[in-house]
């Protein structure tokens, strides 16, 4: 079968999930026809994705959350106004997605949490089945436990946004830290996280440095402040700072690296602990490699990710990058070995759903012809 990917380009997680699924599909004899990636004026497409996807990549303007002036958490009101003023451009992106679905000859669309894919299925009659993939589809699961004190209004809009991304979906693949029941009424299939072979084959070692990733570079102030008080601890942090070089070396104990996935994974495998802004994918990578995690959420979606990760033994949550708490937690951390077994079953679980969706569509397309034949 030929598969078209549409990916929300914000952050790293959806991109690495797409890389993992692309490899999985090819190993099972399928083809990636084309890859559409949402873009904004505030993020660049990392080279590790462009080089690794090995399929034609096309970009389109997509809604995104803007950082606050301090470049730490999301500026919600500013984001709403920015996206409202960009609606005419987003309508053109919806038309573009619709055209590419038709012209690519795809048998299946896999949507990695891109809102405009849902809008394309709402506004146009699409016969190509769509499977949506993200941890966020667990937010629609009746058994999911949300963090306390985050306000019903924020959670309502988070769930609404999640539903809108998956309008027209045949199935929602909810990536989960642990098994949960499927929910047919919500088209939810609970599956393991999509981790790439590079992660699964990494050999974990225990080094002396703390490793980290921050979506918003404003958190670097926390890291530098902690470093001044704890100058003997080696720190290696990765960020997505547009105007930064490959490395910004503060001194021989603190270096900020531009996101480079092979370097990121290598350093994750050898670190003492991992600090992050609570993106689902990198937390899963750290759990798989047995690394304790400090999570500093940057928006409500990451608050939910962090709450879920804590429930499954990944690590602890903080308001800032207080790496002393991570060092203390690392001394009593016990890796979740059941998580590794769960992840190792991902390929079979995901491929079963994708192939079922396509073959079900091909079968039902023949039913009207059978109705009037000799069989009936």
């Amino acid at each position: 079968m030929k598969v078209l990917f549409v990916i929300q380009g914000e952050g790293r997680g959806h991109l690495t999930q797409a890389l993992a699924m692309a490899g999985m599909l090819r190993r099972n004899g399928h083809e990636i026809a084309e890859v559409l990636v949402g873009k904004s004026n505030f993020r660049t497409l990392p080279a590790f994705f462009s080089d690794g996807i090995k399929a034609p990549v096309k970009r389109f303007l997509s809604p995104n959350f803007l950082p606050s002036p301090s470049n730490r958490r999301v500026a919600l009101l500013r984001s709403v106004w920015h996206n409202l003023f960009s609606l005419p451009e987003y309508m053109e992106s919806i038309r573009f997605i619709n055209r590419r679905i038709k012209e690519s000859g795809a048998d299946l669309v896999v949507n990695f949490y891109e809102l405009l894919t849902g809008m394309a299925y709402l506004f146009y009659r699409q016969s190509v089945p769509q499977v949506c993939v993200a941890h966020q589809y667990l937010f629609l699961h009746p058994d999911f436990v949300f963090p306390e004190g985050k306000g019903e209004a924020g959670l309502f809009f988070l769930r609404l946004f999640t539903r809108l991304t998956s309008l027209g979906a045949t199935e929602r693949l909810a990536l989960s830290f642990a098994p949960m029941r499927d929910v047919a009424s919500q088209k939810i299939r609970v599956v393991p996280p999509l981790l790439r072979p590079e992660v699964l084959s990494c050999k974990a070692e225990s080094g002396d440095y703390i490793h980290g990733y921050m979506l918003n570079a404003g958190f670097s102030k926390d890291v530098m402040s902690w470093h001044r008080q704890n100058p003997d601890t080696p720190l290696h942090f990765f960020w997505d700072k547009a105007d930064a070089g490959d490395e910004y070396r503060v001194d021989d104990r603190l270096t900020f690296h531009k996101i480079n996935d092979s370097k990121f994974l290598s350093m994750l495998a050898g670190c003492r602990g991992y600090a992050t802004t609570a993106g689902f994918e990198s937390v899963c990578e750290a759990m798989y490699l047995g690394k304790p995690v400090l999570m500093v959420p940057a928006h409500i979606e990451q608050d939910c990710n962090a709450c879920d990760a804590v429930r499954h033994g990944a690590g602890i949550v903080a308001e800032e990058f207080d790496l002393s708490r991570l060092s203390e937690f690392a001394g009593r951390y016990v890796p979740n070995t059941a998580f590794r077994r769960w992840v190792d079953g991902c390929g079979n679980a995901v491929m079963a759903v994708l192939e079922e969706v396509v073959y079900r569509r091909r079968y039902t397309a023949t039913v009207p012809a059978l109705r009037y034949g000799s069989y009936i």
Side-chain angles (χ1 to χ4, degrees):
M1 63 183 175
K2 293 178 68 176
V3 183
L4 174 76
F5 284 179
V6 192
I7 309 169
Q8 186 212 104
E10 183 84 359
R12 174 180 172 272
H14 301 295
L15 298 173
T16 58
Q17 289 162 15
L19 286 171
M21 185 177 285
M24 190 182 299
L25 285 162
R26 290 189 179 108
R27 287 192 297 274
N28 283 274
H30 305 301
E31 175 188 351
I32 311 302
E34 197 168 277
V35 178
L36 312 180
V37 183
K39 67 178 180 179
S40 74
N41 296 324
F42 302 91
R43 309 283 182 203
T44 57
L45 188 63
F48 78 82
F49 180 81
S50 305
D51 297 339
I53 195 63
K54 294 180 172 55
V57 176
K58 294 182 171 63
R59 307 297 305 276
F60 61 91
L61 192 67
S62 174
N64 56 92
F65 292 109
L66 304 187
S68 64
S70 64
N71 200 11
R72 293 165 66 93
R73 291 187 70 92
V74 163
L76 187 57
L77 187 59
R78 181 171 168 238
S79 298
V80 169
W81 281 112
H82 168 79
N83 288 314
L84 284 174
F85 280 116
S86 301
L87 279 176
E89 294 170 285
Y90 297 155
M91 286 303 301
E92 178 53 39
S93 292
I94 293 169
R95 289 190 287 269
F96 169 76
I97 293 171
N98 178 60
R99 286 196 307 272
R100 296 317 310 149
I101 293 173
K102 291 180 176 179
E103 295 174 8
S104 67
D107 302 300
L108 176 69
V109 172
V110 178
N111 175 15
F112 295 87
Y113 206 61
E114 172 50 57
L115 173 66
L116 298 187
T117 315
M119 296 297 102
Y121 274 78
L122 175 65
F123 296 144
Y124 298 97
R125 293 175 65 89
Q126 281 293 347
S127 60
V128 180
Q130 176 195 184
V131 173
C132 294
V133 181
H135 173 63
Q136 289 90 335
Y137 297 116
L138 273 189
F139 302 161
L140 307 179
H141 197 293
D143 299 337
F144 186 79
V145 179
F146 289 95
E148 296 181 359
K150 294 302 174 183
E152 282 302 314
L155 295 177
F156 169 81
F157 284 110
L158 176 60
R159 287 189 290 257
L160 175 62
F161 182 89
T162 298
R163 288 188 185 279
L164 292 176
T165 66
S166 57
L167 290 173
T170 304
E171 299 285 357
R172 296 176 173 120
L173 292 185
L175 309 179
S176 174
F177 289 116
M180 296 174 68
R181 64 188 175 97
D182 296 338
V183 185
S185 62
Q186 299 292 330
K187 302 179 180 178
I188 292 175
R189 302 277 196 104
V190 178
V191 297
L194 276 162
L195 301 187
R196 294 163 299 133
E198 294 88 341
V199 179
L200 307 183
S201 62
C202 268
K203 182 180 178 181
E205 299 176 350
S206 184
D208 65 344
Y209 60 91
I210 290 176
H211 177 52
Y213 170 69
M214 56 187 71
L215 177 61
N216 296 324
F219 283 110
S220 60
K221 294 180 181 178
D222 290 353
V223 175
M224 286 190 281
S225 175
W226 189 88
H227 172 62
R228 284 192 291 270
Q229 298 173 42
N230 302 270
D232 295 330
T233 302
L235 305 175
H236 290 275
F237 272 76
F238 287 74
W239 59 6
D240 187 20
K241 195 165 188 265
D243 58 349
D246 289 342
E247 284 190 3
Y248 170 51
R249 190 178 177 88
V250 176
D251 55 36
D252 62 354
R253 292 285 177 167
L254 172 58
T255 304
F256 290 97
H257 307 264
K258 194 150 192 174
I259 189 66
N260 174 307
D261 215 49
S262 58
K263 184 193 287 188
F264 176 91
L265 287 179
S266 174
M267 300 197 79
L268 179 61
C271 71
R272 178 158 56 96
Y274 176 59
T276 178
T277 39
F280 173 75
E281 192 71 9
S282 71
V283 171
C284 287
E285 292 170 349
M287 286 181 70
Y288 191 85
L289 295 172
K291 303 298 181 179
V293 185
L294 171 73
M295 292 164 280
V296 185
H299 48 70
I300 190 167
E301 177 188 305
Q302 292 185 350
D303 288 324
C304 297
N305 291 347
C307 174
D308 198 24
V310 169
R311 289 181 59 245
H312 291 97
I316 55 175
V317 180
E319 292 294 322
E320 59 186 22
F321 280 87
D322 181 356
L323 303 181
S324 297
R325 291 191 58 195
L326 176 58
S327 295
E328 187 275 331
F329 174 73
R332 53 187 170 87
Y333 170 70
V334 178
N336 182 345
T337 55
F339 177 77
R340 285 183 65 97
R341 293 192 297 273
W342 169 238
V343 169
D344 288 340
C346 179
N348 291 337
V350 170
M351 284 307 307
V353 176
L354 299 184
E355 291 178 343
E356 176 193 327
V357 166
V358 172
Y359 298 148
R360 187 196 312 158
R361 179 201 174 215
R362 288 175 179 172
Y363 171 76
T364 55
T366 67
V367 171
L370 290 173
R371 184 178 302 163
Y372 300 103
S374 58
Y375 179 80
I376 301 297

